[in-house]
Amino acid sequence: ATRTPVTVIGLGPMGQAMAATLMRAGHPVTVWNRTPSRADDLVAAGATRADTPADAVAASDVVILSLTDYPAMYDILGPVVDDPRRVLAGRVLVNLSSDTPDASRAAAEWAAGHGADFVTGGVMVPAPAVGTPAAHVFYSGPKAVFDAHEPVLRPIGRPAYLGEDPGLAQLFYQAHLDVFLTALASLLHATALVTAAGVPAGDFLPGALDLLTDIPAMIGDGRELARELEAGEHPGHLSTARMMGATADHIVRTSQRAGVDLALPDAVKSYYDRAIAAGHGDRNWTALFEVVRARP
Ligand code: NDP
């Protein structure tokens, strides 16, 4: 049986990896990229090069977009709207580019206005992991449309469908990256702290990474924490906001002494300060949630 043709628009590292993965899965793949040379390797491997975005859209019912952000989608597809063939009508656009949930929602409306179905996604692994068992992708948008095309999308990475709201995939993407980027920044800050004291980074970093993987053993798999946060319960007296806040203060002062940047530890300390000021000092550290969830 011939497999569904797929178009991939946007051939940065991610789009190239997706197109190659779909070709390996047996799909005829059409590609287009603003900088044409980025398609060369894929074309050499059997992909079809579209000369224009309209030709790329016309080539397949399923059109995957992998662009820097959503404005790039309008730059590319805006002119396509004027094509007399009305190529967007009846297509499924799967936008796997990063942007805000609001940008995803606006784009879904824009697509609907041109007769296209719109599925949004966030790919949760870097390009070398696309198409491997480690890859997983958050999707949102119309369930029936997602279900109908899930088999085509599956080779890219294990799909996790979140719901009809087109903003959900990017909401989850941004929330995961919130954890990821903050953890990465903290690793660099902490490394700066120890190296400023003359300690080799190699003496520190492996243990720091062990700490990251030990977190579930300390706080569980997230289910109980989720229940407590939603209920506004912050039980326990072993890791109170007051105790953790004192530690946050020690980190700021050690950073000051070391001459390293203070932005990150100051931000963490401010959460504890405000939680304590709001009367949460003797509650579990999770009471920070009461401060974080409501912007002053
Ligand atoms: P790149 O920035 O390398 O590629 C972006 C693509 O967008 C290129 O094809 C580029 O074209 C195109 N593009 C950008 N702006 C425009 C525009 N105004 N008009 C036309 N084309 C445009 O990104 P990646 O491939 O690394 O990532 C793609 C998406 O995937 C991003 O949203 C990123 O956040 C997300 N992502 C990336 C991961 C990664 O590890 N790289 C991991 C998970 C998600 P051109 O080649 O001509 O510049």
Side-chain angles (χ1 to χ4, degrees), residues 187 204-216 218:
L187 275 177
F204 166 73
L205 271 171
L209 289 172
D210 285 345
L211 168 67
L212 287 183
T213 50
D214 286 346
I215 288 176
M218 298 180 216

PDB file of all heavy atoms in Angstrom, residues 187 204-216 218:
ATOM      1  N   LEU A 187      22.060  25.025  36.624  1.00  0.00           N
ATOM      2  CA  LEU A 187      23.298  24.232  36.537  1.00  0.00           C
ATOM      3  C   LEU A 187      24.494  25.128  36.228  1.00  0.00           C
ATOM      4  O   LEU A 187      25.572  24.983  36.814  1.00  0.00           O
ATOM      5  CB  LEU A 187      23.177  23.181  35.429  1.00  0.00           C
ATOM      6  CG  LEU A 187      22.506  21.861  35.775  1.00  0.00           C
ATOM      7  CD1 LEU A 187      22.427  20.993  34.529  1.00  0.00           C
ATOM      8  CD2 LEU A 187      23.260  21.127  36.886  1.00  0.00           C
ATOM      9  N   PHE A 204      32.112  18.966  40.286  1.00  0.00           N
ATOM     10  CA  PHE A 204      30.779  19.361  40.735  1.00  0.00           C
ATOM     11  C   PHE A 204      29.651  18.821  39.864  1.00  0.00           C
ATOM     12  O   PHE A 204      28.653  18.297  40.368  1.00  0.00           O
ATOM     13  CB  PHE A 204      30.694  20.897  40.790  1.00  0.00           C
ATOM     14  CG  PHE A 204      29.301  21.414  40.902  1.00  0.00           C
ATOM     15  CD1 PHE A 204      28.589  21.295  42.097  1.00  0.00           C
ATOM     16  CD2 PHE A 204      28.661  22.003  39.812  1.00  0.00           C
ATOM     17  CE1 PHE A 204      27.277  21.752  42.193  1.00  0.00           C
ATOM     18  CE2 PHE A 204      27.361  22.461  39.905  1.00  0.00           C
ATOM     19  CZ  PHE A 204      26.676  22.332  41.098  1.00  0.00           C
ATOM     20  N   LEU A 205      29.797  18.969  38.545  1.00  0.00           N
ATOM     21  CA  LEU A 205      28.650  18.749  37.648  1.00  0.00           C
ATOM     22  C   LEU A 205      28.048  17.342  37.684  1.00  0.00           C
ATOM     23  O   LEU A 205      26.818  17.205  37.712  1.00  0.00           O
ATOM     24  CB  LEU A 205      29.016  19.146  36.219  1.00  0.00           C
ATOM     25  CG  LEU A 205      28.738  20.617  35.901  1.00  0.00           C
ATOM     26  CD1 LEU A 205      29.338  21.000  34.542  1.00  0.00           C
ATOM     27  CD2 LEU A 205      27.235  20.914  35.902  1.00  0.00           C
ATOM     28  N   PRO A 206      28.869  16.281  37.696  1.00  0.00           N
ATOM     29  CA  PRO A 206      28.227  14.949  37.724  1.00  0.00           C
ATOM     30  C   PRO A 206      27.300  14.768  38.924  1.00  0.00           C
ATOM     31  O   PRO A 206      26.188  14.248  38.780  1.00  0.00           O
ATOM     32  CB  PRO A 206      29.416  13.991  37.762  1.00  0.00           C
ATOM     33  CG  PRO A 206      30.521  14.753  37.091  1.00  0.00           C
ATOM     34  CD  PRO A 206      30.335  16.179  37.555  1.00  0.00           C
ATOM     35  N   GLY A 207      27.714  15.230  40.085  1.00  0.00           N
ATOM     36  CA  GLY A 207      26.860  15.103  41.271  1.00  0.00           C
ATOM     37  C   GLY A 207      25.616  15.964  41.167  1.00  0.00           C
ATOM     38  O   GLY A 207      24.533  15.580  41.602  1.00  0.00           O
ATOM     39  N   ALA A 208      25.787  17.147  40.556  1.00  0.00           N
ATOM     40  CA  ALA A 208      24.630  18.032  40.387  1.00  0.00           C
ATOM     41  C   ALA A 208      23.590  17.383  39.475  1.00  0.00           C
ATOM     42  O   ALA A 208      22.387  17.506  39.705  1.00  0.00           O
ATOM     43  CB  ALA A 208      25.081  19.379  39.826  1.00  0.00           C
ATOM     44  N   LEU A 209      24.052  16.674  38.455  1.00  0.00           N
ATOM     45  CA  LEU A 209      23.114  15.996  37.556  1.00  0.00           C
ATOM     46  C   LEU A 209      22.428  14.840  38.278  1.00  0.00           C
ATOM     47  O   LEU A 209      21.247  14.568  38.053  1.00  0.00           O
ATOM     48  CB  LEU A 209      23.835  15.510  36.297  1.00  0.00           C
ATOM     49  CG  LEU A 209      24.249  16.657  35.372  1.00  0.00           C
ATOM     50  CD1 LEU A 209      25.136  16.155  34.247  1.00  0.00           C
ATOM     51  CD2 LEU A 209      23.028  17.353  34.783  1.00  0.00           C
ATOM     52  N   ASP A 210      23.168  14.159  39.172  1.00  0.00           N
ATOM     53  CA  ASP A 210      22.522  13.116  39.981  1.00  0.00           C
ATOM     54  C   ASP A 210      21.380  13.711  40.798  1.00  0.00           C
ATOM     55  O   ASP A 210      20.337  13.090  40.989  1.00  0.00           O
ATOM     56  CB  ASP A 210      23.530  12.472  40.944  1.00  0.00           C
ATOM     57  CG  ASP A 210      24.484  11.534  40.216  1.00  0.00           C
ATOM     58  OD1 ASP A 210      24.177  11.171  39.058  1.00  0.00           O
ATOM     59  OD2 ASP A 210      25.528  11.187  40.805  1.00  0.00           O
ATOM     60  N   LEU A 211      21.606  14.938  41.297  1.00  0.00           N
ATOM     61  CA  LEU A 211      20.553  15.589  42.088  1.00  0.00           C
ATOM     62  C   LEU A 211      19.267  15.714  41.274  1.00  0.00           C
ATOM     63  O   LEU A 211      18.176  15.458  41.783  1.00  0.00           O
ATOM     64  CB  LEU A 211      21.031  16.977  42.531  1.00  0.00           C
ATOM     65  CG  LEU A 211      19.956  17.894  43.123  1.00  0.00           C
ATOM     66  CD1 LEU A 211      19.460  17.353  44.452  1.00  0.00           C
ATOM     67  CD2 LEU A 211      20.493  19.305  43.303  1.00  0.00           C
ATOM     68  N   LEU A 212      19.406  16.104  40.010  1.00  0.00           N
ATOM     69  CA  LEU A 212      18.213  16.255  39.183  1.00  0.00           C
ATOM     70  C   LEU A 212      17.433  14.945  39.089  1.00  0.00           C
ATOM     71  O   LEU A 212      16.210  14.927  39.195  1.00  0.00           O
ATOM     72  CB  LEU A 212      18.587  16.714  37.766  1.00  0.00           C
ATOM     73  CG  LEU A 212      19.031  18.167  37.609  1.00  0.00           C
ATOM     74  CD1 LEU A 212      19.290  18.473  36.142  1.00  0.00           C
ATOM     75  CD2 LEU A 212      17.986  19.121  38.156  1.00  0.00           C
ATOM     76  N   THR A 213      18.155  13.835  38.910  1.00  0.00           N
ATOM     77  CA  THR A 213      17.449  12.555  38.766  1.00  0.00           C
ATOM     78  C   THR A 213      16.958  12.041  40.119  1.00  0.00           C
ATOM     79  O   THR A 213      16.118  11.149  40.161  1.00  0.00           O
ATOM     80  CB  THR A 213      18.330  11.504  38.075  1.00  0.00           C
ATOM     81  OG1 THR A 213      19.596  11.465  38.730  1.00  0.00           O
ATOM     82  CG2 THR A 213      18.527  11.839  36.617  1.00  0.00           C
ATOM     83  N   ASP A 214      17.464  12.596  41.207  1.00  0.00           N
ATOM     84  CA  ASP A 214      16.999  12.172  42.539  1.00  0.00           C
ATOM     85  C   ASP A 214      15.704  12.892  42.947  1.00  0.00           C
ATOM     86  O   ASP A 214      15.074  12.502  43.935  1.00  0.00           O
ATOM     87  CB  ASP A 214      18.068  12.474  43.604  1.00  0.00           C
ATOM     88  CG  ASP A 214      19.236  11.503  43.524  1.00  0.00           C
ATOM     89  OD1 ASP A 214      19.085  10.461  42.842  1.00  0.00           O
ATOM     90  OD2 ASP A 214      20.293  11.797  44.122  1.00  0.00           O
ATOM     91  N   ILE A 215      15.319  13.928  42.219  1.00  0.00           N
ATOM     92  CA  ILE A 215      14.168  14.728  42.655  1.00  0.00           C
ATOM     93  C   ILE A 215      12.897  13.891  42.808  1.00  0.00           C
ATOM     94  O   ILE A 215      12.180  14.028  43.809  1.00  0.00           O
ATOM     95  CB  ILE A 215      13.967  15.953  41.727  1.00  0.00           C
ATOM     96  CG1 ILE A 215      15.090  16.968  41.987  1.00  0.00           C
ATOM     97  CG2 ILE A 215      12.608  16.620  41.974  1.00  0.00           C
ATOM     98  CD1 ILE A 215      15.073  18.185  41.075  1.00  0.00           C
ATOM     99  N   PRO A 216      12.595  12.979  41.867  1.00  0.00           N
ATOM    100  CA  PRO A 216      11.369  12.183  42.065  1.00  0.00           C
ATOM    101  C   PRO A 216      11.384  11.383  43.366  1.00  0.00           C
ATOM    102  O   PRO A 216      10.324  11.199  43.989  1.00  0.00           O
ATOM    103  CB  PRO A 216      11.344  11.264  40.836  1.00  0.00           C
ATOM    104  CG  PRO A 216      12.114  12.011  39.803  1.00  0.00           C
ATOM    105  CD  PRO A 216      13.198  12.731  40.557  1.00  0.00           C
ATOM    106  N   MET A 218      12.525  12.369  46.052  1.00  0.00           N
ATOM    107  CA  MET A 218      12.252  13.312  47.151  1.00  0.00           C
ATOM    108  C   MET A 218      10.810  13.790  47.134  1.00  0.00           C
ATOM    109  O   MET A 218      10.195  13.948  48.185  1.00  0.00           O
ATOM    110  CB  MET A 218      13.169  14.534  47.037  1.00  0.00           C
ATOM    111  CG  MET A 218      14.645  14.240  47.149  1.00  0.00           C
ATOM    112  SD  MET A 218      15.541  15.818  46.975  1.00  0.00           S
ATOM    113  CE  MET A 218      16.973  15.305  46.077  1.00  0.00           C
TER     114      MET A 218
END
